[in-house]
Coordinates of all heavy atoms in Angstrom, one line a residue:
M23 N 0.8 -1.2 0.0 CA 0.0 0.0 0.0 C 0.9 1.2 0.0 O 1.8 1.4 0.8 CB -0.9 0.0 1.2 CG -1.7 1.3 1.3 SD -2.9 1.3 2.7 CE -4.2 0.1 2.0
E24 N 0.6 2.1 -0.9 CA 1.3 3.4 -1.0 C 0.9 4.3 0.2 O -0.3 4.5 0.4 CB 1.0 4.1 -2.3 CG 1.6 5.4 -2.5 CD 1.2 6.1 -3.8 OE1 0.4 5.5 -4.6 OE2 1.6 7.2 -4.1
A25 N 1.8 4.9 0.9 CA 1.5 5.8 2.0 C 1.9 7.2 1.5 O 3.0 7.5 1.1 CB 2.3 5.5 3.2
I26 N 0.9 8.1 1.7 CA 1.1 9.5 1.3 C 0.8 10.4 2.6 O -0.3 10.3 3.2 CB 0.1 10.0 0.2 CG1 0.4 9.2 -1.0 CG2 0.3 11.5 0.0 CD1 -0.6 9.4 -2.1
R27 N 1.8 11.1 3.0 CA 1.7 11.9 4.3 C 1.7 13.4 3.9 O 2.6 13.8 3.2 CB 2.9 11.6 5.2 CG 2.8 12.4 6.5 CD 3.5 11.7 7.6 NE 3.5 12.4 8.8 CZ 2.4 12.4 9.7 NH1 1.4 11.7 9.4 NH2 2.5 13.1 10.8
L28 N 0.7 14.1 4.4 CA 0.5 15.5 4.2 C 0.3 16.2 5.5 O -0.4 15.7 6.4 CB -0.6 15.8 3.2 CG -0.5 15.2 1.8 CD1 -1.8 15.4 1.0 CD2 0.7 16.0 1.1
D29 N 0.7 17.4 5.6 CA 0.5 18.3 6.7 C -0.8 19.1 6.5 O -0.9 19.8 5.5 CB 1.7 19.2 6.9 CG 1.5 20.1 8.1 OD1 0.4 20.2 8.7 OD2 2.6 20.7 8.5
A30 N -1.8 18.9 7.3 CA -3.1 19.5 7.1 C -3.0 21.1 7.1 O -3.8 21.7 6.4 CB -4.1 19.1 8.2
E31 N -2.0 21.6 7.7 CA -1.8 23.1 7.7 C -1.5 23.6 6.3 O -1.8 24.7 6.0 CB -0.7 23.5 8.6 CG -1.0 23.2 10.0 CD -0.8 24.3 11.0 OE1 -0.3 25.4 10.5 OE2 -1.1 24.2 12.1
R32 N -1.1 22.7 5.4 CA -0.9 23.1 4.0 C -2.1 22.9 3.1 O -2.0 23.0 1.9 CB 0.3 22.3 3.4 CG 1.6 22.6 4.3 CD 2.8 22.4 3.6 NE 2.7 23.0 2.3 CZ 3.8 23.1 1.5 NH1 4.9 22.8 1.9 NH2 3.7 23.7 0.3
L33 N -3.2 22.5 3.7 CA -4.4 22.2 3.0 C -5.6 23.1 3.4 O -6.7 22.8 3.2 CB -4.9 20.7 3.2 CG -3.8 19.7 2.9 CD1 -4.4 18.3 3.3 CD2 -3.4 19.7 1.5
L34 N -5.3 24.2 4.0 CA -6.3 25.1 4.5 C -7.0 26.0 3.5 O -8.2 26.4 3.6 CB -5.8 26.0 5.7 CG -5.3 25.2 6.9 CD1 -4.7 26.1 7.9 CD2 -6.3 24.3 7.5
G35 N -6.3 26.3 2.4 CA -6.9 27.1 1.3 C -7.2 26.2 0.2 O -6.5 25.2 -0.1
R36 N -8.3 26.5 -0.5 CA -8.8 25.6 -1.6 C -7.7 25.4 -2.7 O -7.4 24.3 -3.1 CB -10.0 26.2 -2.3 CG -10.6 25.2 -3.3 CD -11.7 25.9 -4.1 NE -11.2 26.9 -5.0 CZ -10.5 26.6 -6.2 NH1 -10.4 25.4 -6.6 NH2 -10.1 27.6 -6.9
E37 N -7.1 26.5 -3.2 CA -6.1 26.4 -4.2 C -4.9 25.5 -3.8 O -4.5 24.6 -4.6 CB -5.7 27.8 -4.7 CG -4.9 27.7 -6.0 CD -4.7 29.1 -6.5 OE1 -5.6 29.9 -6.6 OE2 -3.5 29.4 -6.9
E38 N -4.4 25.8 -2.7 CA -3.2 25.1 -2.2 C -3.5 23.6 -1.9 O -2.8 22.7 -2.3 CB -2.6 25.7 -1.0 CG -1.3 25.0 -0.6 CD -0.6 25.7 0.6 OE1 -1.2 26.6 1.3 OE2 0.5 25.3 0.9
A39 N -4.7 23.4 -1.4 CA -5.1 22.0 -1.0 C -5.3 21.2 -2.3 O -4.8 20.1 -2.4 CB -6.4 22.0 -0.3
M40 N -5.9 21.8 -3.3 CA -6.1 21.1 -4.6 C -4.8 20.8 -5.3 O -4.6 19.7 -5.8 CB -7.0 21.8 -5.5 CG -8.5 22.1 -5.0 SD -9.4 20.5 -4.6 CE -9.4 20.6 -2.9
E41 N -3.9 21.7 -5.2 CA -2.5 21.5 -5.8 C -1.8 20.4 -5.0 O -1.2 19.5 -5.7 CB -1.7 22.8 -5.7 CG -0.3 22.7 -6.3 CD -0.3 22.4 -7.8 OE1 -1.2 22.8 -8.5 OE2 0.6 21.7 -8.2
Q42 N -1.8 20.5 -3.7 CA -1.0 19.5 -2.9 C -1.6 18.1 -3.1 O -0.9 17.1 -3.3 CB -1.1 19.9 -1.4 CG -0.4 21.1 -1.0 CD 1.1 20.9 -1.0 OE1 1.6 19.8 -0.7 NE2 1.9 21.9 -1.4
L43 N -3.0 18.0 -3.0 CA -3.6 16.7 -3.1 C -3.5 16.1 -4.6 O -3.2 14.9 -4.7 CB -5.1 16.8 -2.7 CG -5.3 17.0 -1.2 CD1 -6.7 17.4 -1.0 CD2 -5.0 15.7 -0.5
G44 N -3.6 17.0 -5.5 CA -3.5 16.5 -6.9 C -2.1 16.0 -7.2 O -2.0 14.9 -7.9
R45 N -1.1 16.7 -6.7 CA 0.3 16.2 -6.9 C 0.6 15.0 -6.2 O 1.1 14.0 -6.7 CB 1.2 17.3 -6.5 CG 2.7 17.1 -7.0 CD 3.7 18.2 -6.7 NE 3.1 19.5 -6.8 CZ 3.1 20.4 -5.8 NH1 3.6 20.1 -4.6 NH2 2.6 21.6 -6.0
A46 N 0.2 14.9 -4.9 CA 0.5 13.8 -4.0 C -0.2 12.5 -4.5 O 0.4 11.4 -4.4 CB 0.2 14.1 -2.6
L47 N -1.4 12.7 -4.9 CA -2.2 11.5 -5.3 C -2.0 11.2 -6.8 O -2.6 10.2 -7.3 CB -3.7 11.7 -5.0 CG -4.0 11.8 -3.5 CD1 -5.4 12.4 -3.3 CD2 -3.9 10.4 -2.9
V48 N -1.3 12.0 -7.5 CA -1.0 11.8 -9.0 C -2.4 11.8 -9.7 O -2.7 10.8 -10.4 CB -0.2 10.6 -9.3 CG1 0.3 10.6 -10.7 CG2 1.0 10.5 -8.3
L49 N -3.2 12.8 -9.5 CA -4.5 12.9 -10.1 C -4.2 13.3 -11.6 O -3.3 14.0 -11.9 CB -5.4 13.8 -9.4 CG -5.7 13.4 -8.0 CD1 -6.7 14.4 -7.3 CD2 -6.3 12.0 -7.9
P50 N -5.1 13.0 -12.5 CA -4.9 13.4 -13.9 C -4.9 14.9 -14.1 O -5.6 15.6 -13.3 CB -6.1 12.7 -14.6 CG -7.1 12.4 -13.6 CD -6.4 12.2 -12.3
E51 N -4.2 15.4 -15.0 CA -4.1 16.8 -15.3 C -5.5 17.5 -15.5 O -5.6 18.6 -15.2 CB -3.2 17.0 -16.5 CG -2.6 18.4 -16.7 CD -1.9 18.9 -15.5 OE1 -1.1 18.2 -14.8 OE2 -2.0 20.1 -15.2
W52 N -6.4 16.7 -16.0 CA -7.7 17.3 -16.4 C -8.7 17.4 -15.2 O -9.8 17.9 -15.3 CB -8.4 16.5 -17.5 CG -8.4 15.1 -17.3 CD1 -7.5 14.2 -17.8 CD2 -9.3 14.3 -16.5 NE1 -7.8 12.9 -17.4 CE2 -8.9 12.9 -16.6 CE3 -10.4 14.6 -15.7 CZ2 -9.5 11.9 -15.9 CZ3 -11.0 13.6 -15.0 CH2 -10.6 12.3 -15.1
W53 N -8.4 16.9 -14.0 CA -9.3 16.9 -12.9 C -9.7 18.3 -12.5 O -9.0 19.3 -12.7 CB -8.8 16.1 -11.7 CG -7.9 16.8 -10.8 CD1 -6.6 17.1 -11.0 CD2 -8.2 17.2 -9.5 NE1 -6.0 17.6 -9.9 CE2 -7.0 17.8 -8.9 CE3 -9.3 17.2 -8.7 CZ2 -6.9 18.3 -7.7 CZ3 -9.3 17.7 -7.4 CH2 -8.1 18.2 -6.9
G54 N -10.9 18.5 -12.0 CA -11.5 19.8 -11.8 C -11.0 20.7 -10.7 O -11.4 21.8 -10.6
R55 N -10.2 20.2 -9.8 CA -9.6 21.0 -8.8 C -10.6 21.7 -7.9 O -10.5 22.8 -7.5 CB -8.6 22.0 -9.3 CG -7.3 21.3 -9.8 CD -6.4 22.3 -10.5 NE -5.1 21.6 -10.9 CZ -5.0 20.8 -11.9 NH1 -6.1 20.5 -12.6 NH2 -3.9 20.2 -12.2
N56 N -11.7 20.9 -7.5 CA -12.7 21.3 -6.6 C -13.1 20.1 -5.7 O -12.6 19.0 -6.0 CB -13.9 22.0 -7.3 CG -14.6 21.0 -8.2 OD1 -15.0 20.0 -7.8 ND2 -14.6 21.4 -9.5
L57 N -13.8 20.3 -4.7 CA -14.1 19.2 -3.8 C -15.0 18.1 -4.4 O -14.8 16.9 -4.1 CB -14.8 19.8 -2.5 CG -14.0 20.6 -1.6 CD1 -14.8 21.2 -0.5 CD2 -12.8 19.8 -1.1
D58 N -15.9 18.5 -5.3 CA -16.7 17.4 -6.0 C -15.8 16.6 -6.9 O -15.9 15.3 -6.9 CB -17.8 18.1 -6.9 CG -18.9 18.6 -6.0 OD1 -19.1 18.2 -4.9 OD2 -19.6 19.5 -6.5
A59 N -14.9 17.2 -7.6 CA -13.9 16.5 -8.5 C -13.0 15.6 -7.7 O -12.7 14.5 -8.0 CB -13.2 17.4 -9.4
L60 N -12.5 16.2 -6.5 CA -11.7 15.4 -5.6 C -12.4 14.2 -5.1 O -11.8 13.1 -5.2 CB -11.2 16.3 -4.5 CG -10.3 15.6 -3.4 CD1 -9.0 15.1 -4.1 CD2 -10.1 16.5 -2.2
H61 N -13.6 14.3 -4.7 CA -14.4 13.1 -4.3 C -14.5 12.1 -5.4 O -14.3 10.9 -5.1 CB -15.8 13.6 -3.8 CG -16.6 12.5 -3.3 ND1 -17.4 11.7 -4.1 CD2 -16.7 11.9 -2.1 CE1 -18.0 10.8 -3.4 NE2 -17.6 10.9 -2.2
D62 N -14.8 12.5 -6.6 CA -14.9 11.6 -7.7 C -13.6 10.9 -8.0 O -13.6 9.7 -8.1 CB -15.3 12.3 -9.0 CG -16.7 12.8 -8.9 OD1 -17.5 12.4 -8.1 OD2 -17.1 13.7 -9.8
C63 N -12.5 11.6 -7.9 CA -11.2 11.0 -8.2 C -10.8 10.0 -7.1 O -10.3 8.9 -7.3 CB -10.1 12.1 -8.3 SG -10.1 13.0 -9.8
L64 N -11.1 10.4 -5.8 CA -10.8 9.5 -4.7 C -11.6 8.2 -4.7 O -11.1 7.2 -4.3 CB -10.9 10.3 -3.4 CG -9.9 11.4 -3.1 CD1 -10.2 12.1 -1.8 CD2 -8.5 10.8 -3.1
T65 N -12.9 8.3 -5.0 CA -13.7 7.1 -5.0 C -13.4 6.2 -6.2 O -13.8 5.1 -6.1 CB -15.2 7.5 -5.0 OG1 -15.5 8.3 -6.1 CG2 -15.6 8.2 -3.7
Q66 N -12.7 6.7 -7.2 CA -12.4 5.9 -8.3 C -10.9 5.4 -8.3 O -10.5 4.8 -9.2 CB -12.6 6.7 -9.6 CG -14.1 7.0 -9.8 CD -14.4 7.9 -11.0 OE1 -13.6 8.0 -11.9 NE2 -15.5 8.5 -11.0
L67 N -10.2 5.8 -7.3 CA -8.8 5.4 -7.2 C -8.7 3.9 -7.2 O -9.4 3.2 -6.4 CB -8.2 5.8 -5.8 CG -7.2 7.0 -5.9 CD1 -7.1 7.6 -4.5 CD2 -5.9 6.5 -6.3
G68 N -7.9 3.3 -8.1 CA -7.9 1.9 -8.2 C -6.7 1.2 -7.6 O -6.5 0.0 -7.5
R69 N -5.8 2.1 -7.0 CA -4.6 1.5 -6.3 C -4.7 1.8 -4.8 O -5.3 2.7 -4.4 CB -3.3 2.2 -6.9 CG -3.2 3.6 -6.5 CD -2.0 4.3 -7.3 NE -1.6 5.5 -6.7 CZ -2.2 6.7 -6.9 NH1 -3.3 6.8 -7.7 NH2 -1.8 7.8 -6.3
P70 N -4.2 0.9 -4.0 CA -4.3 1.1 -2.6 C -3.4 2.2 -2.1 O -2.2 2.3 -2.3 CB -3.7 -0.3 -2.0 CG -3.4 -1.1 -3.1 CD -3.5 -0.4 -4.4
V71 N -4.1 3.2 -1.4 CA -3.4 4.4 -0.9 C -3.8 4.6 0.6 O -5.0 4.5 0.9 CB -3.8 5.6 -1.7 CG1 -3.3 6.9 -1.1 CG2 -3.3 5.5 -3.2
R72 N -2.8 4.9 1.4 CA -3.1 5.3 2.8 C -2.7 6.8 2.8 O -1.6 7.1 2.7 CB -2.3 4.5 3.7 CG -2.4 4.9 5.2 CD -1.5 4.1 6.1 NE -1.5 4.6 7.4 CZ -2.3 4.3 8.4 NH1 -3.2 3.4 8.2 NH2 -2.2 4.8 9.6
L73 N -3.7 7.6 3.0 CA -3.5 9.1 3.1 C -3.4 9.4 4.5 O -4.4 9.3 5.3 CB -4.7 9.8 2.4 CG -4.6 11.3 2.3 CD1 -3.3 11.8 1.6 CD2 -5.8 11.9 1.6
E74 N -2.3 9.9 4.9 CA -2.0 10.2 6.3 C -1.9 11.8 6.5 O -1.1 12.4 5.8 CB -0.7 9.6 6.8 CG -0.6 8.1 6.7 CD 0.8 7.6 6.9 OE1 1.7 8.3 7.0 OE2 0.9 6.3 6.9
L75 N -2.8 12.3 7.3 CA -2.9 13.7 7.5 C -2.5 14.1 8.9 O -3.2 13.7 9.9 CB -4.3 14.3 7.2 CG -4.7 14.3 5.8 CD1 -6.1 14.9 5.7 CD2 -3.8 15.1 4.9
G76 N -1.4 14.8 9.1 CA -1.0 15.3 10.4 C -1.7 16.6 10.7 O -2.1 17.3 9.8
R77 N -1.9 16.9 12.0 CA -2.5 18.2 12.4 C -4.0 18.3 12.0 O -4.4 19.3 11.4 CB -1.7 19.4 11.9 CG -0.3 19.3 12.4 CD 0.4 20.6 12.0 NE 1.8 20.4 12.3 CZ 2.7 21.4 12.0 NH1 2.3 22.5 11.5 NH2 3.9 21.2 12.2
R78 N -4.8 17.3 12.2 CA -6.2 17.3 11.9 C -6.9 18.5 12.4 O -7.8 19.1 11.7 CB -6.9 16.0 12.4 CG -8.3 16.0 12.3 CD -9.0 14.9 13.0 NE -10.4 14.9 12.8 CZ -11.1 13.8 12.6 NH1 -10.6 12.6 12.6 NH2 -12.4 13.9 12.4
E79 N -6.5 19.0 13.6 CA -7.2 20.1 14.2 C -7.1 21.4 13.3 O -8.0 22.2 13.4 CB -6.6 20.4 15.6 CG -5.2 20.9 15.7 CD -4.1 19.8 15.5 OE1 -4.5 18.6 15.5 OE2 -3.0 20.1 15.5
A80 N -6.1 21.5 12.5 CA -6.0 22.6 11.6 C -7.1 22.6 10.6 O -7.7 23.7 10.3 CB -4.6 22.6 10.9
L81 N -7.5 21.5 10.1 CA -8.6 21.4 9.2 C -9.9 21.7 9.8 O -10.8 22.3 9.3 CB -8.7 20.0 8.5 CG -7.6 19.6 7.5 CD1 -7.8 18.2 7.0 CD2 -7.7 20.6 6.3
E82 N -10.1 21.2 11.1 CA -11.3 21.4 11.8 C -11.5 22.9 12.2 O -12.6 23.3 12.5 CB -11.3 20.5 13.0 CG -11.4 19.0 12.7 CD -11.2 18.1 13.9 OE1 -10.6 18.6 14.9 OE2 -11.6 17.0 13.8
G83 N -10.5 23.7 12.0 CA -10.6 25.1 12.4 C -11.1 26.0 11.4 O -11.2 27.2 11.6
T84 N -11.3 25.5 10.1 CA -11.7 26.4 9.0 C -12.9 25.8 8.3 O -13.0 24.5 8.3 CB -10.6 26.7 8.0 OG1 -10.3 25.5 7.3 CG2 -9.3 27.2 8.7
D85 N -13.7 26.6 7.7 CA -14.9 26.1 7.0 C -14.4 25.2 5.8 O -14.9 24.1 5.7 CB -15.7 27.3 6.4 CG -16.9 26.8 5.7 OD1 -17.7 26.0 6.2 OD2 -17.1 27.2 4.5
F86 N -13.5 25.7 5.0 CA -13.0 24.8 3.9 C -12.4 23.6 4.4 O -12.6 22.5 3.9 CB -12.0 25.6 3.0 CG -11.4 24.7 2.0 CD1 -12.1 24.5 0.8 CD2 -10.1 24.1 2.1 CE1 -11.6 23.6 -0.2 CE2 -9.6 23.3 1.2 CZ -10.3 23.0 0.0
G87 N -11.6 23.7 5.5 CA -11.0 22.5 6.1 C -12.0 21.4 6.5 O -11.8 20.2 6.3
R88 N -13.0 21.9 7.1 CA -14.1 20.9 7.6 C -14.8 20.3 6.4 O -15.0 19.1 6.4 CB -15.1 21.6 8.4 CG -14.6 21.9 9.8 CD -15.7 22.5 10.7 NE -16.2 23.8 10.3 CZ -15.7 25.0 10.6 NH1 -14.6 25.0 11.3 NH2 -16.2 26.1 10.1
R89 N -15.0 21.0 5.3 CA -15.6 20.4 4.1 C -14.6 19.5 3.4 O -15.0 18.4 3.0 CB -16.0 21.5 3.1 CG -17.2 22.3 3.6 CD -17.8 23.3 2.6 NE -16.8 24.4 2.6 CZ -16.4 25.0 1.4 NH1 -16.9 24.6 0.3 NH2 -15.6 26.0 1.5
L90 N -13.3 19.8 3.4 CA -12.3 18.9 2.8 C -12.3 17.6 3.6 O -12.2 16.5 3.1 CB -11.0 19.6 2.8 CG -9.8 18.7 2.3 CD1 -10.0 18.2 0.9 CD2 -8.5 19.5 2.4
L91 N -12.2 17.8 4.9 CA -12.2 16.6 5.8 C -13.4 15.7 5.5 O -13.2 14.4 5.4 CB -12.1 17.0 7.2 CG -11.9 16.0 8.3 CD1 -10.6 15.3 8.0 CD2 -11.8 16.7 9.7
R92 N -14.6 16.2 5.4 CA -15.8 15.4 5.1 C -15.6 14.7 3.8 O -16.0 13.5 3.7 CB -17.0 16.4 5.1 CG -18.3 15.6 5.2 CD -19.5 16.5 5.4 NE -19.1 17.7 6.1 CZ -19.4 19.0 5.7 NH1 -20.2 19.2 4.7 NH2 -19.0 20.0 6.4
V93 N -15.1 15.4 2.8 CA -14.9 14.7 1.5 C -13.9 13.6 1.6 O -14.2 12.5 1.0 CB -14.4 15.8 0.4 CG1 -13.9 15.1 -0.8 CG2 -15.5 16.7 0.0
L94 N -12.8 13.8 2.3 CA -11.8 12.7 2.5 C -12.4 11.5 3.2 O -12.2 10.4 2.8 CB -10.6 13.3 3.2 CG -9.8 14.3 2.5 CD1 -8.7 14.9 3.4 CD2 -9.2 13.8 1.2
E95 N -13.2 11.8 4.3 CA -13.8 10.7 5.1 C -14.8 10.0 4.3 O -14.9 8.7 4.3 CB -14.4 11.3 6.3 CG -13.3 11.8 7.3 CD -13.9 12.5 8.5 OE1 -15.0 13.1 8.4 OE2 -13.2 12.5 9.6
D96 N -15.7 10.7 3.5 CA -16.7 10.1 2.7 C -16.1 9.2 1.6 O -16.5 8.1 1.4 CB -17.6 11.1 2.0 CG -18.5 11.8 3.0 OD1 -18.6 11.3 4.2 OD2 -19.2 12.8 2.7
A97 N -15.0 9.7 1.0 CA -14.4 9.0 -0.1 C -13.7 7.7 0.4 O -13.8 6.6 -0.2 CB -13.3 9.8 -0.8
A98 N -13.1 7.8 1.6 CA -12.5 6.6 2.2 C -13.5 5.6 2.6 O -13.2 4.4 2.5 CB -11.6 7.0 3.4
A99 N -14.7 6.0 3.0 CA -15.7 5.1 3.4 C -16.3 4.4 2.1 O -16.7 3.2 2.2 CB -16.9 5.8 4.1
E100 N -16.2 5.0 1.0 CA -16.8 4.5 -0.2 C -15.8 3.6 -1.0 O -16.2 2.7 -1.8 CB -17.3 5.6 -1.2 CG -18.5 6.3 -0.7 CD -18.9 7.4 -1.6 OE1 -18.9 7.2 -2.8 OE2 -19.4 8.4 -1.1
N101 N -14.5 3.9 -0.9 CA -13.5 3.2 -1.7 C -12.6 2.3 -0.8 O -11.8 2.9 0.0 CB -12.6 4.2 -2.4 CG -11.7 3.6 -3.4 OD1 -11.4 2.4 -3.4 ND2 -11.1 4.4 -4.2
P102 N -12.7 1.0 -1.0 CA -11.8 0.1 -0.2 C -10.3 0.3 -0.4 O -9.5 -0.2 0.3 CB -12.3 -1.3 -0.5 CG -13.0 -1.1 -1.8 CD -13.5 0.3 -1.9
H103 N -10.0 0.9 -1.5 CA -8.6 1.1 -1.9 C -8.0 2.4 -1.1 O -6.8 2.6 -1.2 CB -8.4 1.4 -3.4 CG -8.7 0.1 -4.2 ND1 -7.9 -1.0 -4.1 CD2 -9.7 -0.1 -5.0 CE1 -8.5 -1.9 -4.9 NE2 -9.5 -1.4 -5.5
L104 N -8.8 3.2 -0.5 CA -8.4 4.4 0.1 C -8.5 4.3 1.6 O -9.6 4.0 2.1 CB -9.2 5.6 -0.4 CG -8.9 6.9 0.2 CD1 -7.4 7.4 0.0 CD2 -9.8 8.0 -0.3
E105 N -7.4 4.5 2.3 CA -7.4 4.5 3.8 C -7.0 5.8 4.2 O -6.1 6.4 3.7 CB -6.5 3.4 4.3 CG -6.4 3.3 5.8 CD -5.5 2.2 6.3 OE1 -5.3 1.2 5.5 OE2 -4.9 2.4 7.3
L106 N -7.8 6.4 5.2 CA -7.5 7.7 5.7 C -7.0 7.6 7.1 O -7.7 7.0 8.0 CB -8.7 8.6 5.6 CG -8.6 10.1 6.0 CD1 -7.6 10.8 5.2 CD2 -10.0 10.7 5.9
S107 N -5.9 8.2 7.4 CA -5.3 8.2 8.8 C -5.2 9.7 9.2 O -4.5 10.5 8.6 CB -4.0 7.5 8.8 OG -3.4 7.7 10.1
L108 N -5.9 10.1 10.3 CA -5.9 11.4 10.8 C -5.2 11.5 12.1 O -5.6 10.7 13.0 CB -7.3 12.0 10.9 CG -8.1 11.9 9.6 CD1 -9.6 12.2 9.8 CD2 -7.6 12.9 8.6
E109 N -4.3 12.4 12.3 CA -3.6 12.6 13.5 C -3.8 13.9 14.1 O -4.1 14.9 13.5 CB -2.1 12.3 13.3 CG -1.8 11.0 12.7 CD -0.4 10.8 12.2 OE1 0.4 11.7 12.4 OE2 -0.1 9.8 11.6

């Protein structure tokens, strides 16, 4: 299983979060760079990935962060290839 570790403090803004996640997860160049597109990409991931996010509390402290966290949790619940680890 591929492990990808990201610092949640670098995911607080939409643009930076989409860039960081797109690069780390090797999402296709054409993906929409928004939460709906991220959810679609994550639920269709065909390879086993463990996404490890440090500093969960940083995400919980902003509106965008809470929405991103919900997308990540929902996608992990739907896709058996995606494991989410929050610290």
